[in-house]
């Protein structure tokens, strides 16, 4: 274009001044074209959910709604729907893997393959087109700021064949100001390559362990036995706990209590009642041998990370870990709390100046009974060294604008817990005087402990149902001196029994997962335990869903009890697969990969070595058929929970009673195309999620056609079918 303009102008030019003018015009035109091109360049922002994308688009000014995205002001904002791209199943590598066979193990893909999820093909297609648009010059990864969020974006980016540069949005709050600041401080996408590497290793390690171990034990024992890298060690802890409870034999014990001047003192425990009776008979006068009074300080509890919030919500409200995560995620997307999937319980120094106003707002939004004002010690919750990717969970300033009456009950309860904990965490320390008195009575040592509150401090703020509630009735001891003689006013023998270990609750199992293997790891290890704060809830829910654990108890307190199937699996499982310490070691190495301090190749080689050794060396447990009941009429695996699907009179039902999946034999969709849900059809659908059908008949026109029917299963067990015709086109 510039050449044409130049030629037209030059044709009439005869002197140097005109030549200079021509040159100026030439570069002017070039500059206009360049500026126009720059103006046309857009940034594609990819969020994890539609609701998050809408919040981001609002801040960026992308107000024009299109199919699957929003556009405007130099931005195109779109979203993923969960994991758009997932690891391919074994049969994608070789057709023989569609049948489970011991001889085909182990399965170690050389080149990993990924597939677009059946239910998200439309949105993936939209994203692929957006990435290919000429006016889209770069991308912004705006998925959740964590390992899984990074994986979701990268897999879509690579599957779409995109090579355009991208930046990373890393925020801990969905408030408008946080989003704005985040876009003003976008980071290079390459800064998170190590995080992506760790996410890939986690995903592929889970695939290798799950696919190979599940097929190994299922083929050897003739039934579907789901095995997972983190899931199985978690189940093993629950099974071991129940075994300890079953084996426990309570033993009686006896203590002697003596009454003195306004208080009681107790002896040590005795196994025989006769010993306690002898001591009672010899008690008349007690001599003080020790009298100590020390002032002690109890610091407020720290702010919540996700695991501590889940534990507290389970104790106080009876919520499952998954419920708490869901409620908190909803609050985050409503801009009322900060990012939930955090393992930190502290805030950063840059937040200190705004913290007092936030505390006051939380205090007035959820007031404490009989407390008019509170002290604010921000230094107690601020520590840069203890904050990793995200800080602790706290309410946001949006709290003051929120109409609390419009929030669902569960979200409101979680919001109050988070707000109350912020007020408590910055409160005054609790101070008390602890008195210990020891006495000699007839040659037996008796002791008494008393407590006098000096300053309530943060405990004045603790709600009645909070797990950090104040101590119960603690006796107040008189002032005594060593050598004082005290008359015994009465004696009493107290009988008790040793207590068995307690059944796991959601609270205590989360705690066990968090600390698993800690005793076997160096103190400097940063992350110990099974799974991460973001994944533990899902692991527990899957164990319940596939029938390995079940919840038993009243409405508020439910115990997690292993089923017969879960116990049987752990019984035949070798130590290396069910070992919490080994799995915790793997979690630590994933964290090191995140930091660029451990080679991903070494991690994957270790996983492969373990699985290869397992397959080579494992021997079937003798008489296992007594332990494990055979699954009758099984036609395949449940796509929702992995349990066996059984052929019953009216439908193909999942054998796991907690699962709602079913394929009804009088299926309306198949009836509408002149087909029926036979056992062979159900097997195909369960195996690959699709089936090719010939000579289907249109209910409307009567014409016949060939097509492939795809099956999608929602989380509530409902099935949805769609169709692709042999000559192209789709029908739902």
């Amino acid at each position: 274009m510039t050449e044409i303009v130049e030629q037209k102008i030059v044709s009439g030019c005869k002197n140097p001044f005109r030549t200079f003018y021509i040159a100026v015009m030439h570069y002017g035109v070039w500059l206009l074209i360049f500026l126009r091109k720059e103006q046309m360049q857009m940034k594609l922002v990819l969020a994890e959910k539609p609701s998050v994308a809408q919040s981001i688009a609002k801040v960026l000014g992308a107000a024009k709604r299109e199919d699957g995205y929003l556009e405007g002001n130099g931005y195109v904002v779109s979203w993923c729907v969960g994991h758009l791209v997932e690891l391919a199943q074994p049969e994608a590598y070789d057709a023989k893997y569609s049948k489970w066979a011991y001889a085909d193990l182990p399965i170690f893909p050389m080149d990993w393959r990924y597939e677009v999820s059946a239910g998200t093909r439309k949105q993936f297609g939209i994203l692929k087109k957006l990435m290919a648009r000429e006016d889209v010059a770069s991308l912004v990864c705006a998925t959740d700021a964590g390992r899984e969020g990074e994986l979701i974006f990268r897999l879509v980016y690579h599957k779409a064949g995109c090579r355009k540069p991208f930046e990373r949005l890393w925020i801990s709050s969905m408030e408008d100001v946080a989003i704005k600041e985040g876009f003003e401080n976008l980071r290079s996408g390459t800064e998170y390559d190590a995080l992506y590497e760790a996410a890939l290793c986690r995903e592929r390690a889970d695939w290798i362990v799950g696919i190979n171990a599940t097929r190994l034990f299922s083929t050897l024992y003739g039934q579907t036995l789901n095995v997972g890298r983190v899931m199985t060690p978690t189940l093993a802890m629950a099974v071991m706990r129940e075994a300890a409870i079953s084996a426990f034999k309570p033993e009686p014990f006896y203590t002697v209590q003596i009454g003195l001047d306004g208080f009681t003192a107790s002896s040590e425990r005795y196994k025989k009642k006769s010993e306690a009776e002898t001591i009672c008979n010899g008690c008349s006068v007690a001599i003080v041998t020790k009298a100590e009074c020390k002032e002690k300080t109890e610091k407020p509890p720290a702010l919540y990370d996700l695991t501590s919030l889940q534990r507290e919500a389970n104790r106080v409200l009876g919520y499952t870990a998954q419920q708490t995560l869901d409620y908190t995620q909803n609050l985050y997307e409503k801009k009322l709390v900060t990012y939930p999937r955090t393992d930190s319980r502290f805030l950063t120094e840059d937040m200190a100046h705004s913290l007092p106003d936030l505390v006051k707002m939380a205090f007035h939004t959820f007031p404490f009974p009989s407390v008019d004002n509170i002290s604010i010690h921000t230094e107690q919750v601020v520590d840069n060294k203890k904050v990793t990717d995200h800080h602790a969970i706290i309410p946001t300033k949006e709290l003051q604008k929120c109409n609390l009456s419009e929030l669902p009950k569960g979200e409101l309860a979680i919001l109050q817990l988070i707000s109350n904990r912020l007020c408590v965490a910055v409160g005054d320390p609790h101070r008390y005087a602890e008195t210990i008195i020891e006495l000699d009575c007839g040659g037996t040592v008796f002791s008494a402990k008393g407590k006098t509150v000096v300053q309530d401090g943060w405990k004045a703020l603790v709600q009645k149902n909070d797990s950090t509630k104040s101590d119960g009735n603690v006796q107040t001891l008189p002032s005594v001196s060593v050598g004082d003689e005290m008359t015994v006013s009465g004696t009493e023998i107290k009988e008790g029994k040793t207590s068995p270990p307690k059944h796991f609750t959601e609270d205590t199992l989360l705690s066990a997962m968090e600390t698993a293997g800690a005793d076997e790891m160096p103190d400097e290890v940063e992350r110990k335990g099974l799974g991460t704060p973001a994944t533990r809830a899902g692991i527990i829910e899957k164990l319940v869903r596939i029938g390995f654990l079940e919840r038993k108890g009243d409405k508020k307190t439910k115990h997690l009890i292993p089923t017969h199937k879960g116990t049987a699996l752990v019984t035949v499982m070798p130590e290396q697969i069910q070992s919490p310490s080994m799995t915790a070691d793997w979690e630590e190495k994933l964290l090191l990969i995140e930091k660029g301090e451990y080679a991903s190749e070494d991690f994957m080689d270790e996983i492969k070595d373990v699985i290869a050794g397992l397959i080579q060396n494992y021997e079937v447990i003798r008489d296992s058929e007594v332990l494990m009941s055979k699954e009758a009429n099984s036609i395949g695996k449940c796509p929702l929970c992995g349990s066996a699907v059984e052929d019953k009179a009216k439908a193909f039902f999942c054998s796991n009673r907690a699962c709602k999946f079913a394929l009804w034999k009088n299926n309306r969709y198949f009836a509408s195309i002149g087909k029926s849900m036979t056992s062979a059809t159900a097997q195909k659908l369960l195996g690959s999620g699709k089936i090719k059908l010939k000579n289907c008949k249109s209910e409307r026109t009567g014409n016949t056609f060939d097509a492939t029917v795809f099956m999608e299963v929602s989380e509530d067990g409902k099935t949805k079918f769609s169709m692709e015709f042999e000559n192209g086109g789709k029908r739902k």
Side-chain angles (χ1 to χ4, degrees), residues 304-311 321 324-325 328 340-345 393 510 532-535 537:
Y304 290 128
D305 62 2
L306 178 58
T307 300
S308 59
L309 175 61
Q310 288 170 319
R311 293 183 60 193
T324 299
L325 176 56
T328 313
R341 293 171 174 84
T342 176
D343 59 0
S344 175
R345 303 188 70 176
I393 307 170
L510 282 170
T532 67
T535 61

Side-chain angles (χ1 to χ4, degrees), residues 516-529:
D519 295 340
E520 302 175 34
M521 292 187 182
D523 292 337
E524 64 270 16
V525 168
E526 191 169 337
R527 180 184 289 163
K528 306 167 184 177

